[in-house]
Amino acid sequence: MPLGLFLVILVFLVIGLSGCSGSFLKQPTARGSQLVTAILSDPKTFNWALVQEFPNVFLITYEGLTSENSVTGKIEPALAESWEVSKDKKRIVFTLRENLKWSDGQPLTADDVVFTYNDVVFNKEIPTDARDSLKVGKRGLFPAVKKLDRRRVEFRFPEAFSPFFRTTTGPASDGVAILPKHALEKSIKTKNAEGKLQFLSTWAVDTDPDKIVVNGPYKMESYLTSQRLVFRRNPYYWRKDEKGNQLPKIERIIWQITDNMDTQLLRFRSQDLDTTDGWGRMRPEDFPLLKREEKRGNFRIYTAGPRPGTTFIAFNLNKGRRDGKFLVDPVKSGWFNTVEFRQAIAYGIDRQTIINNSLRGLGELQNSPISVQSPYYISPKEGLKLYNYNVEKSKELLRQAGFKYNEKGELFDKAGNRVRFTLITNAENQTRVGMGAQIKQNLSKIGIQVDFNPMAFNSVVDKLTNTLDWECYLLGFTGGIEPHTGANVWLTDGGLHSFNQKPLADQGIEGREIAPWEQKIEDLYIQGSQEFDEAKRKAIYAETQQLTQEYLPMIYLVNPYSMTAIRNNIEGVKYSSLGGAFWNIYNLKISNNPQ
């Protein structure tokens, strides 16, 4: 899936404009070629290794050794033109394309590949989510990466590792981005006054975007906080079209920044924007109106199947303590760590009504952490447990677990404590806010009081990764074809194992416990990465899905359909649920532009 190598915590795109008039957006560049879209919030970093958001600037500024064709799902050459695999599958040699260059004109060579893996991704002093999906076997070893010559790089594995190629597909598919050694090596070798690598503060969002060195189709040109990001075509990008013309075809990409999802519809309908978004996350509630306006508005709504990725709620199962104080109230922790409680919650949520109301019927029930586009996904017909809305079943499970109801229908635990918890989500995402409101209403019918508290996205992230003092959250992760790209969610020390997050060394937390089922899922993910027989791999990941549905560390909700509205003058769109409209952004073209 790529659930990604990062927290991804799933962000819906919106379109808007702050401090800038629509006339600015429509002014042509010197070549008369620009595309205007938008994102929900400001970027958090310009350093790929530290990214934990989606969408992010790296989707169009960096590439990996390979790429994923979002229509076919196949792996294709990118920075590497070819590769050779040994018979025992423990040695892979990549050959880079000739004359690759960085956006500053410097050569891109095998030295950059070795630097990316050995000095950044495998560096324990750098908290990058990319590292988890490259841990090999039970010991979590990394492949040995070695330069053979200027264009060839060797990867040697301690044992065969089946998910590896999917990790090389670059940021657009949650894979590893190749980074510039000449621009970043000094920051890896230098520490600040606190003894931390200078790299951790390198290329923060206050960096002049024009100074950031990239290898993708676009480089950043300018950034105005809370207003816009501007990208310009990378003059040294390696791809060419069938006639030998250098790509990308569009000169400039503009991302407008807004914290108001409703602005998306307004700006698009007023023709200040060329797309509602590029990644298939158009709001379902906007579909009926826009569908009626397609012809008059000179645009088309592209649709596909369910989006890759997940939407879920999760309870904080961490039993750890900081300075002697429990991260979670021990009373509530007892509820959350009772599997019957989590199952009762799952039965108590009316997911079909969420689809009908929040998604306007444009979505499907979700029952697995693995994306439906993956060949490893199993359906309920293949034995996956379902939690269809059933209030009586929910109450029955709660009574079996020792909970009781008073005459008002309010739920109490054995010790007489009122069952009540706080649910958080990011306030900027109005679709999620609507889901949370319904969950609050649904759970009141089984006697549970939910204090629903939408907050700023950055505050949610801080609670999940830093303070760890949350009770229940509603968010989402990205997804894709390969399950192991979500290893950072299911390995017990993974960077996105948020329901029982391993603390960082300097957080002073102790007492965290790992449940047997939790360890079993980790063991199966490791086993799946060691297996090359596709039937056996599917059986392994089928078991992981059955465990996640039985023990519900995450309670999966619904999956909206992938949708994007795009102006008809944008040519070359090959829309798919995996990559949306922008996965091949280097091939998109604006027709009939003023010159």
Side-chain angles (χ1 to χ4, degrees), residues 17 22-23 25-26 36 267-268 270-274 567:
L17 181 62
S23 60
L25 300 179
K26 305 315 291 183
V36 185
R267 294 294 180 186
F268 184 75
S270 65
Q271 300 195 28
D272 286 337
L273 300 161
D274 296 306
R567 301 288 169 200

Side-chain angles (χ1 to χ4, degrees), residues 178-384:
I178 302 304
L179 301 175
K181 179 179 179 180
H182 69 281
L184 294 172
E185 184 179 29
K186 183 178 179 181
S187 70
I188 290 287
K189 296 181 177 180
T190 306
K191 293 190 175 183
N192 60 22
E194 299 176 351
K196 295 183 178 181
L197 292 181
Q198 194 67 44
F199 179 86
L200 301 180
S201 56
T202 298
W203 288 357
V205 293
D206 58 354
T207 306
D208 179 357
D210 194 47
K211 304 296 184 183
I212 294 171
V213 181
V214 302
N215 62 36
Y218 291 92
K219 63 177 185 176
M220 285 181 285
E221 181 178 74
S222 63
Y223 168 49
L224 290 177
T225 304
S226 300
Q227 293 187 39
R228 62 185 177 271
L229 264 164
V230 178
F231 303 85
R232 189 171 292 275
R233 67 195 302 266
N234 175 5
Y236 298 104
Y237 186 52
W238 64 271
R239 292 185 193 263
K240 292 180 171 57
D241 66 15
E242 62 278 1
K243 296 181 180 180
N245 299 312
Q246 188 170 2
L247 300 175
K249 298 176 180 178
I250 299 175
E251 174 70 20
R252 190 166 68 162
I253 306 291
I254 299 174
W255 287 5
Q256 290 299 325
I257 301 166
T258 180
D259 59 359
N260 186 338
M261 290 187 71
D262 289 329
T263 306
Q264 173 181 5
L265 187 61
L266 174 64
R267 294 294 180 186
F268 184 75
R269 294 179 71 201
S270 65
Q271 300 195 28
D272 286 337
L273 300 161
D274 296 306
T275 75
T276 52
D277 73 272
W279 294 276
R281 286 164 173 79
M282 187 181 90
R283 289 192 305 180
E285 53 262 48
D286 295 337
F287 178 84
L289 175 60
L290 290 178
K291 190 64 180 175
R292 293 194 297 269
E293 295 184 349
E294 268 186 312
K295 185 175 182 179
R296 185 173 71 252
N298 195 30
F299 62 85
R300 173 184 170 186
I301 299 178
Y302 290 81
T303 60
R307 300 174 190 170
T310 55
T311 303
F312 58 85
I313 63 168
F315 289 99
N316 193 343
L317 308 183
N318 199 324
K319 298 179 181 178
R321 300 179 300 276
R322 177 188 279 120
D323 299 327
K325 183 180 179 181
F326 286 99
L327 295 171
V328 182
D329 180 342
V331 171
K332 295 184 179 183
S333 182
W335 309 337
F336 301 160
N337 278 281
T338 300
V339 67
E340 293 84 359
F341 178 85
R342 300 196 297 274
Q343 290 175 341
I345 296 294
Y347 279 117
I349 297 174
D350 187 352
R351 298 184 298 157
Q352 187 58 52
T353 296
I354 290 178
I355 291 176
N356 296 343
N357 293 345
S358 295
L359 304 186
R360 303 301 192 269
L362 300 171
E364 296 180 1
L365 298 178
Q366 189 168 67
N367 303 294
S368 169
I370 295 181
S371 298
V372 297
Q373 293 86 354
S374 171
Y376 307 105
Y377 167 82
I378 64 170
S379 69
K381 293 181 181 179
E382 297 172 278
L384 194 62

Side-chain angles (χ1 to χ4, degrees), residues 395 398-399 403-413 416-420 443-449:
K395 290 182 176 180
L398 290 168
R399 291 189 180 100
F403 292 89
K404 298 179 181 180
Y405 288 95
N406 66 8
E407 64 280 359
K408 296 180 181 179
E410 298 170 334
L411 189 66
F412 292 80
D413 65 13
N417 298 296
R418 176 81 163 92
V419 179
R420 177 179 184 177
L443 297 187
S444 70
K445 296 179 180 179
I446 58 171
I448 296 175
Q449 180 172 338

Side-chain angles (χ1 to χ4, degrees), residues 94-128:
F94 288 91
T95 300
L96 299 177
R97 298 178 185 275
E98 291 187 18
N99 302 319
L100 289 173
K101 291 184 179 181
W102 292 99
S103 59
D104 62 356
Q106 293 297 309
L108 191 162
T109 70
D111 290 322
D112 297 298
V113 180
V114 174
F115 168 78
T116 297
Y117 283 91
N118 289 344
D119 295 290
V120 179
V121 177
F122 300 158
N123 191 332
K124 293 183 178 180
E125 294 186 69
I126 298 174
T128 177

